[in-house]
Amino acid sequence: MTAQTQEPRTSRRRAPIALTIGVLAVLVIAFFVFIGLYADVLWYDQLGFLEVLTTQWVARTVLFLIGFVAMALPVWASIQIAYRTRPVYAKLNSQLDRYQEVFEPLRRLAMYGIPVVLGIFAGVSTSSRWDLTLTWLNRTPFGSTDPQFGFDLGFYVFELPFYRSIIGFASAVVLLSLLLVAATNYLYGAIRVSGREVVISKSARVQIAITAGLYLLLQGVSIWFDQYATVTESGSLITGAAYTDVNAVIPGRQILAVAAIGVAVLFVVTAIIGRWRLPLVGVALLVVSSLLIGTLYPWVIQRFQVDPSPRTLEAPYIQRNIDLTRDAYGVADIEEIPFEAKTDAEPGALRSDAETTANIRLMDPLVISPAFQQLEQFRQYYQFPEALDVDRYQIDGKTQDTVVAVRDLKLSGLGDAETWYNSHIVYTHGYGLVAAAGNQRSAGGQPVFVQSGIPSTGDLGEFEPRVYFGENSPDYSIVGAPEDTKPVELDYPAGGDNDEQTQTTFEGDGGPKLDNVFTKLAYALKFQSEQIFLSDAVNTTSQILYDRDPIERVRKVAPYLTPDSDAYPSVVDGKLVWIVDAYTLTDQYPYSNKVSMSEAIADSESLPQTLPFDEVNYIRNSVKATVDAYDGSVTLYAWDAEDPILKTWQKVFPSTIEPMSKMSGDLLSHVRYPADMFKMQRAVLGRYHVTDASAFYSREDAWTTPKEPTQAANTTLLQPPYYLTMQMPGQEVPSYSLYSTFIPEASGDQSRNVLRGYLAVDADAGSTDGERAEGYGKLRLLTLPEDDNVPGPGQVQATFNSDPTVSQSLNLLKQGQSDVINGNLLTVPVGGGLLYVQPVYVKSTGNTSYPLLQKVLVAFGDQIAFQDTLDLALDVLFGGDSGADAGDQAVDPGATPETPAEGEGEGDGATDGSTGGEAPSEEMQQLLREASGFLKAKQAALADGDWAAYGAADAQLAETIAKMLALTNGE
């Protein structure tokens, strides 16, 4: 047998082997895909959100099929028509003959394979737009119209993007068909090039002309829709159609659209009469027209008409931009309050703001995490986050602002004991919520805990303390066991010096059940761990908990929402839950300025992050979500039920969102105004607090958020907003609020760190079942006069850092290898002005040390004070008697704010030892006069640069205040 006969046989034997390997590879890939889909079904079904998954699957599948057919069928038909109408006796040159010889064996594969491959790509692309399609099908009108075309705003949010995507897809189909038709006709001789002459057969001419005409028709429709997009496009001045757009770009696009349709008609005429000159001339004229009408004419209008008089001509369009931007970001109803801030610290100035003063938070959630870790961690396998959260609770009938954190697991703390069994079977959950009073400290400067310990005890009542779902939970845990089985999950350490532990068994419904062999196998493959399949700890009652981060859970069950960057824990109705704010966003709101969300929410608390939807120009806090820390159940509440985008998605997923009326009063008492939305609003209000178009154009009163004052001078991090209980001008009583400040917008050395605005929002949602407090979400903006140079945060921080007395005290604190940490610099509107408060912590350099609150810096106007407590500092600042009780006298570490330590009075705002309504005694009045004199002498010495006199006056002032305190306490 010859080698030539053996080779075909060998090839024939290899073919089935290759085919078998290929089939097996496809089956393996399909199996792993199925495993992933199966796990998703179990996860969503257990949570009760299977509808979200199946709706996406159905939409994606239908759109894939539509995209596949819409691409593959026209392309296949075009190739088939071109091939079947080819000339039978065409004279081909030798090169084309060789091409045909190579191509002919592959012709059938190519004629079907090319449409199929293009169809698959088109189907995948189309299926990815499932959200756009579903919102178009379920669109909800906004009820307002745009000022340029008069369409409902929902046309731009839901319809225009859909129509433009359809036109873009159709254009791609026709263009690919045109190219393949031309290639097929050329290959088979229907198009021949002879010297300078191009010969086209009749059948090829008809097909090419009609296809080209269809493409030009689609371009005309596309250009027509492009005119509507001008109201959502960002220009050099504003977002939206400005003067040049309205008077040149829009009319130009209308003309070009009609011209493109006219050229399309000429191609149809060519298909009939066979003359190519008319459509080719039409195409050339269309190109020239697009340059003249679409580019040159707008440039001429802008250069010679608008640029000489922009303030006048652009004013109406700037006003549109101002009005619709304020609407889109929810700041149209902001209350602007002119504020003549006092800068003189007069005695008794805080008497009317006693409640606000008593709630000034001294515990900085970004600083005291090490204190939580050292005092409340207990075991190396627990941890607290670096940035704590703030909340408030009703304790003994009074609202107490708190700093809170969950004691979560830290598996890396197990060291050598971090085995698979321990990591996924034994150590399954964190334990307890730890809460410290925001305005209290112990005698040593430690936090005063209102909820702490293991087991958890305190003033927050009875609640389920186990945290199976948290921000730092393990990637997965396997929990649950039969009733008669001995518990193996670590619940919490028993305490003491021994290693005793308390075990528990998860009794909730928190994850898919591993109740059969196939499910075990599926999750063993998903998490690439054979132990899930082999371990005897996995039984028919076991559940697997995964995707445990509360923000991630909300994102998965509501893919149309953008969660806030911070989830915070609260004790609600006897449960520990995570509260997550979520937003509906769009970048298609007409005339609204576009803002980078990642940049707007980045500050010293939240570093820049990558967001799937970044450039936006509309935001609503449409949903409040809760995630149960024990069983992971997710509940979505429609917080802004009037939002058209949320209404649209409720039509898509009708059973996934609960009405706000189902929110309990206890839950509402912990709901707050979301920080990320507030940051977006302050980013917009930096410019859009100006409502006059002429002033807006000149940017004569543009503001910006101050840089973080406690960071280095060259920092780019912004100062974050802060939650405080305070009373703004216009409010009758203090409320839980979120605030930020503004300074003039400038750059480099020209920046002036003086206050120009103070923005606050009422963040208290009330405590009545199903009813939101009337004032919730009310924005108030204090505007300071141009000639009123109230120092901004950076200027105040610089004053603190450069003050010689403060520096001397800080140097003393730094002795013994200790670090001094400046806490958050708070700005509080009290006493008719703006009070700055900054806690100062001292931390030794040892590995087990943590920051201790030792001093408090305060400033009012250009006057500062630096004392051991806020009470003392305010009294010093306000001439010996601030008129209010800050309530931060050092207390017993075991005492709560409601159980004052020995020698600590309840306080009612009076600081003279008498009852609130009685006049100070004669001795107290004499001490007040002396304190006022020493304060003036101190200020005069500071102005003269006489540091010796300054120190003497400061010492005399401190001695006088000590006498006043002794007299007040009856010592």
Side-chain angles (χ1 to χ4, degrees):
M1 185 179 295
T2 64
Q4 291 180 344
T5 58
Q6 289 179 349
E7 185 174 345
R9 292 182 181 179
T10 304
S11 301
R12 285 196 297 268
R13 284 197 299 268
R14 290 175 179 173
I17 296 175
L19 180 61
T20 303
I21 293 174
V23 170
L24 289 176
V26 170
L27 289 176
V28 169
I29 294 173
F31 178 73
F32 277 97
V33 171
F34 172 76
I35 288 298
L37 299 179
Y38 177 68
D40 286 342
V41 169
L42 294 178
W43 190 89
Y44 278 92
D45 186 47
Q46 184 276 324
L47 264 181
F49 286 87
L50 185 58
E51 173 192 359
V52 175
L53 183 64
T54 56
T55 300
Q56 290 184 66
W57 281 2
V58 171
R60 288 178 181 273
T61 302
V62 171
L63 287 174
F64 177 85
L65 294 175
I66 291 175
F68 178 86
V69 172
M71 174 63 79
L73 187 59
V75 169
W76 174 82
S78 299
I79 297 174
Q80 288 290 331
I81 293 171
Y83 175 74
R84 293 181 184 277
T85 59
R86 70 193 186 282
V88 179
Y89 302 107
K91 295 181 179 180
L92 305 179
N93 58 41
S94 58
Q95 187 174 9
L96 282 178
D97 280 335
R98 287 194 297 271
Y99 288 161
Q100 280 196 13
E101 289 177 4
V102 174
F103 179 73
E104 193 61 28
L106 303 174
R107 175 179 57 81
R108 185 175 296 275
L109 177 62
M111 295 181 73
Y112 288 94
I114 291 175
V116 168
V117 171
L118 292 177
I120 291 174
F121 280 109
V124 171
S125 175
T126 305
S127 67
S128 67
R129 307 305 298 272
W130 67 272
D131 51 349
L132 181 64
T133 305
L134 291 181
T135 54
W136 174 75
L137 290 171
N138 298 276
R139 57 192 180 274
T140 303
F142 274 65
S144 303
T145 58
D146 79 281
Q148 179 59 37
F149 297 104
F151 294 144
D152 184 89
L153 301 182
F155 169 78
Y156 300 96
V157 176
F158 303 123
E159 298 182 51
L160 184 59
F162 178 77
Y163 298 147
R164 295 181 78 187
S165 67
I166 292 294
I167 295 169
F169 180 84
S171 297
V173 172
V174 174
L175 182 59
L176 287 172
S177 299
L178 180 61
L179 295 174
L180 290 170
V181 164
T184 303
N185 280 303
Y186 178 75
L187 184 63
Y188 287 97
I191 300 176
R192 301 194 306 274
V193 180
S194 178
R196 296 184 178 181
E197 184 180 6
V198 178
V199 180
I200 304 177
S201 69
K202 181 180 179 180
S203 59
R205 182 195 72 219
V206 172
Q207 187 178 9
I208 291 174
I210 291 177
T211 306
L214 182 58
Y215 181 76
L216 265 295
L217 177 64
L218 288 171
Q219 298 315 297
V221 176
S222 177
I223 295 171
W224 184 265
F225 277 108
D226 286 347
Q227 67 171 317
Y228 303 132
T230 56
V231 300
T232 60
E233 294 172 346
S234 298
S236 58
L237 179 62
I238 60 172
T239 297
Y243 182 91
T244 300
D245 297 310
V246 171
N247 293 277
V249 175
I250 292 175
R253 289 180 180 177
Q254 293 172 347
I255 294 171
L256 290 174
V258 174
I261 295 172
V263 175
V265 173
L266 293 179
F267 274 99
V268 176
V269 172
T270 295
I272 299 172
I273 67 175
R275 300 178 65 90
W276 287 97
R277 180 172 298 178
L278 287 177
L280 293 178
V281 171
V283 170
L285 291 175
L286 183 61
V287 172
V288 173
S289 298
S290 65
L291 293 175
L292 294 176
I293 300 174
T295 304
L296 181 60
Y297 180 60
W299 179 83
V300 170
I301 294 295
Q302 181 69 36
R303 178 74 174 180
F304 298 103
Q305 190 171 354
V306 177
D307 288 350
S309 306
R311 190 164 183 163
T312 303
L313 295 179
E314 300 285 21
Y317 309 104
I318 294 176
Q319 195 62 54
R320 293 178 180 180
N321 176 250
I322 293 172
D323 295 340
L324 272 81
T325 297
R326 289 168 66 94
D327 286 338
Y329 289 93
V331 298
D333 297 328
I334 188 172
E335 180 182 357
E336 294 192 21
I337 305 171
F339 189 60
E340 297 281 350
K342 295 181 180 179
T343 56
D344 294 328
E346 300 175 353
L350 304 185
R351 198 173 304 278
S352 60
D353 296 297
E355 189 172 348
T356 297
T357 307
N359 281 286
I360 294 176
R361 178 173 47 77
L362 297 177
M363 289 293 151
D364 185 347
L366 292 182
V367 173
I368 65 171
S369 178
F372 274 52
Q373 293 171 7
Q374 291 297 324
L375 300 174
E376 289 293 325
Q377 181 173 325
F378 295 119
R379 291 293 189 272
Q380 74 278 8
Y381 46 78
Y382 287 132
Q383 66 175 322
F384 290 98
E386 292 183 2
L388 309 184
D389 291 298
V390 294
D391 201 356
R392 73 275 191 204
Y393 289 90
Q394 285 288 324
I395 299 177
D396 293 340
K398 296 181 180 179
T399 300
Q400 174 67 61
D401 286 4
T402 57
V403 178
V404 299
V406 161
R407 187 187 291 106
D408 214 338
L409 279 179
K410 182 182 179 182
L411 294 180
S412 61
L414 294 175
D416 295 340
E418 192 180 357
T419 62
W420 181 89
Y421 189 87
N422 280 338
S423 299
H424 301 290
I425 303 296
V426 177
Y427 294 89
T428 59
H429 60 279
Y431 191 92
L433 176 81
V434 177
N439 61 340
Q440 295 287 328
R441 67 165 188 172
S442 71
Q446 301 170 349
V448 176
F449 295 107
V450 298
Q451 188 75 30
S452 61
I454 294 181
S456 185
T457 58
D459 298 321
L460 305 188
E462 296 293 328
F463 63 93
E464 172 56 63
R466 297 169 184 86
V467 182
Y468 283 89
F469 294 84
E471 294 175 313
N472 296 293
S473 297
D475 54 351
Y476 71 92
S477 293
I478 297 175
V479 298
E483 293 183 2
D484 57 349
T485 304
K486 181 180 179 181
V488 296
E489 297 177 50
L490 170 72
D491 196 15
Y492 56 84
D497 296 330
N498 54 36
D499 294 329
E500 294 180 5
Q501 298 175 342
T502 301
Q503 274 73 35
T504 187
T505 299
F506 180 76
E507 297 179 351
D509 182 14
K513 290 182 171 55
L514 303 176
D515 53 2
N516 59 73
V517 173
F518 184 76
T519 303
K520 291 181 183 179
L521 176 62
Y523 280 103
L525 292 174
K526 178 179 176 64
F527 290 105
Q528 299 181 12
S529 173
E530 72 282 359
Q531 301 294 338
I532 297 177
F533 187 78
L534 300 175
S535 175
D536 60 359
V538 182
N539 52 70
T540 57
T541 60
S542 294
Q543 302 173 42
I544 184 166
L545 314 182
Y546 63 98
D547 288 339
R548 301 162 77 173
D549 182 274
I551 292 178
E552 180 61 23
R553 292 179 79 80
V554 171
R555 184 180 287 113
K556 289 188 68 173
V557 302
Y560 50 90
L561 297 174
T562 299
D564 192 272
S565 59
D566 181 40
Y568 58 99
S570 290
V571 176
V572 176
D573 298 321
K575 298 179 180 179
L576 180 56
V577 301
W578 296 92
I579 300 177
V580 183
D581 288 283
Y583 311 108
T584 45
L585 310 169
T586 184
D587 60 353
Q588 296 298 312
Y589 198 89
Y591 276 102
S592 177
N593 185 58
K594 293 183 180 180
V595 173
S596 169
M597 188 171 184
S598 60
E599 293 180 4
I601 67 176
D603 52 34
S604 60
E605 284 188 352
S606 176
L607 296 179
Q609 53 187 290
T610 302
L611 298 175
F613 196 0
D614 193 16
E615 289 285 339
V616 301
N617 64 357
Y618 173 92
I619 183 172
R620 290 291 184 271
N621 177 209
S622 53
V623 170
K624 301 283 188 183
T626 62
V627 178
D628 192 301
Y630 184 74
D631 63 19
S633 57
V634 179
T635 308
L636 307 176
Y637 297 99
W639 188 249
D640 188 351
E642 299 304 315
D643 174 35
I645 299 180
L646 181 63
K647 287 182 177 180
T648 297
W649 282 111
Q650 284 182 296
K651 296 176 186 177
V652 178
F653 305 114
S655 61
T656 58
I657 301 180
E658 302 288 346
M660 188 189 70
S661 59
K662 291 192 176 182
M663 297 179 72
S664 69
D666 197 12
L667 174 58
L668 284 167
S669 69
H670 294 283
V671 163
R672 67 191 189 190
Y673 198 84
D676 283 357
M677 182 167 176
F678 185 76
K679 293 175 185 179
M680 293 284 285
Q681 291 173 325
R682 77 174 178 181
V684 169
L685 284 171
R687 290 191 62 191
Y688 287 88
H689 69 279
V690 177
T691 56
D692 177 73
S694 297
F696 182 90
Y697 176 80
S698 62
R699 299 186 72 164
E700 60 190 37
D701 194 25
W703 299 340
T704 188
T705 304
K707 298 295 189 293
E708 173 55 59
T710 62
Q711 298 287 332
N714 60 349
T715 184
T716 58
L717 299 176
L718 300 180
Q719 186 181 35
Y722 295 115
Y723 289 98
L724 290 176
T725 296
M726 62 184 183
Q727 183 174 347
M728 285 281 287
Q731 289 182 293
E732 296 181 359
V733 294
S735 68
Y736 193 64
S737 304
L738 180 64
Y739 87 87
S740 187
T741 58
F742 291 108
I743 61 175
E745 183 180 82
S747 59
D749 297 335
Q750 300 300 317
S751 179
R752 297 178 61 234
N753 206 296
V754 294
L755 275 191
R756 282 292 169 262
Y758 185 94
L759 177 66
V761 62
D762 189 339
D764 191 349
S767 58
T768 304
D769 290 350
E771 294 183 16
R772 181 168 48 210
E774 184 178 353
Y776 173 87
K778 177 64 177 179
L779 287 159
R780 294 179 176 87
L781 177 63
L782 304 184
T783 58
L784 282 69
E786 289 285 339
D787 57 352
D788 192 359
N789 291 324
V790 176
Q795 190 173 338
V796 170
Q797 188 68 61
T799 302
F800 285 162
N801 295 341
S802 61
D803 183 89
T805 302
V806 173
S807 298
Q808 183 179 7
S809 300
L810 293 179
N811 287 334
L812 290 174
L813 293 174
K814 291 178 182 178
Q815 291 181 358
Q817 295 183 341
S818 296
D819 294 329
V820 174
I821 303 172
N822 290 324
N824 44 209
L825 181 59
L826 306 176
T827 311
V828 190
V830 292
L834 292 165
L835 172 71
Y836 286 95
V837 178
Q838 183 175 57
V840 178
Y841 300 84
V842 176
K843 178 181 179 295
S844 69
T845 55
N847 293 330
T848 59
S849 64
Y850 53 89
L852 298 172
L853 177 59
Q854 296 296 318
K855 294 283 186 178
V856 180
L857 281 161
V858 293
F860 194 90
D862 58 357
Q863 304 165 63
I864 69 171
F866 185 48
Q867 298 295 328
D868 292 342
T869 66
L870 179 58
D871 249 345
L872 280 172
L874 292 178
D875 283 336
V876 170
L877 188 65
F878 289 92
D881 177 23
S882 67
D885 181 6
D888 71 322
Q889 298 93 342
V891 299
D892 186 334
T896 68
E898 288 67 41
T899 310
E902 183 179 355
E904 180 185 354
E906 293 293 333
D908 59 0
T911 60
D912 54 7
S914 62
T915 58
E918 297 180 0
S921 65
E922 182 177 350
E923 185 178 359
M924 177 62 72
Q925 292 178 356
Q926 176 61 32
L927 290 173
L928 287 172
R929 287 191 290 270
E930 292 179 4
S932 179
F934 293 142
L935 181 61
K936 293 178 180 177
K938 179 181 174 181
Q939 294 168 351
L942 179 62
D944 295 338
D946 188 346
W947 304 120
Y950 181 94
D954 184 64
Q956 291 171 320
L957 179 61
E959 182 180 354
T960 303
I961 292 176
K963 294 179 181 178
M964 293 166 61
L965 289 174
L967 182 62
T968 300
N969 294 328
E971 297 178 2

